[in-house]
Amino acid sequence: TTKYGSPGAASRVWAAQGWASLRNGKPELALQQFNQAWLLNSQNYQVFWGFGAVLSEQGRLAEAIEQLEVANRLVDEPAQKVALLSDLGSVYSELAARLPEDKQLDRAQHFVGANRRFTESLEIDPNYAPSWREWAISLFRQERYSEAWIKAKRAIELKAEPFPAGFIDDLRKKHPELK
């Protein structure tokens, strides 16, 4: 706290270190750093976003959603809220996709959550390419192929990160490309 001037500032530094550790493939260290950030400021949305990211990487998607929803309630930076909502939509979609076929109602509820979060993200910033990309992938999982094409084309227009290998080919096989 002394080094950074306040508990809040120190918390942001620890959270940034947690994100760096996560990007460097060290989720255990990241979790420790996010925990330190939380001890300094239990209202730092980056902490809960970080917890959610670590849990998501561990495949603990329902727990990840809980943490990401806390981050969503706490986020106080509009530019960051766009990305957070996109991440939240992606995790809802991934959880829905992993549920067995006999859990259709749960799958549908999680896909509704994903669609709601992507919509919220794009209402804040309609040019946020990652939301378009992730929404296209989510809609493909929902077997809503024509809508997936619309989102995929917008993601490509906005120069989003490339889709996973084979995604566009798989989409073409399910539904002809929209002109």
Side-chain angles (χ1 to χ4, degrees), residues 3-108:
K3 182 176 180 179
Y4 298 106
S6 71
S11 177
R12 287 188 296 277
V13 169
W14 276 104
Q17 291 173 354
W19 285 109
S21 294
L22 193 57
R23 281 189 296 276
N24 290 323
K26 299 176 183 174
E28 295 81 18
L29 178 59
L31 199 51
Q32 291 172 353
Q33 292 164 322
F34 288 129
N35 209 21
Q36 288 295 324
W38 179 82
L39 290 171
L40 290 161
N41 179 3
S42 64
Q43 299 301 300
N44 180 349
Y45 75 90
Q46 285 282 343
V47 170
F48 295 97
W49 195 350
F51 289 155
V54 171
L55 290 164
S56 180
E57 278 198 8
Q58 294 172 343
R60 297 164 58 187
L61 301 175
E63 294 168 85
I65 288 171
E66 290 174 13
Q67 297 299 312
L68 293 170
E69 288 290 3
V70 172
N72 188 36
R73 284 191 296 278
L74 295 173
V75 66
D76 54 0
E77 298 176 59
Q80 292 297 305
K81 187 168 181 87
V82 172
L84 174 59
L85 287 165
S86 183
D87 285 356
L88 195 47
S90 296
V91 178
Y92 269 114
S93 179
E94 181 70 25
L95 178 58
R98 289 188 185 185
L99 289 174
E101 291 295 319
D102 66 333
K103 301 281 188 184
Q104 286 298 316
L105 184 58
D106 291 336
R107 285 172 55 95

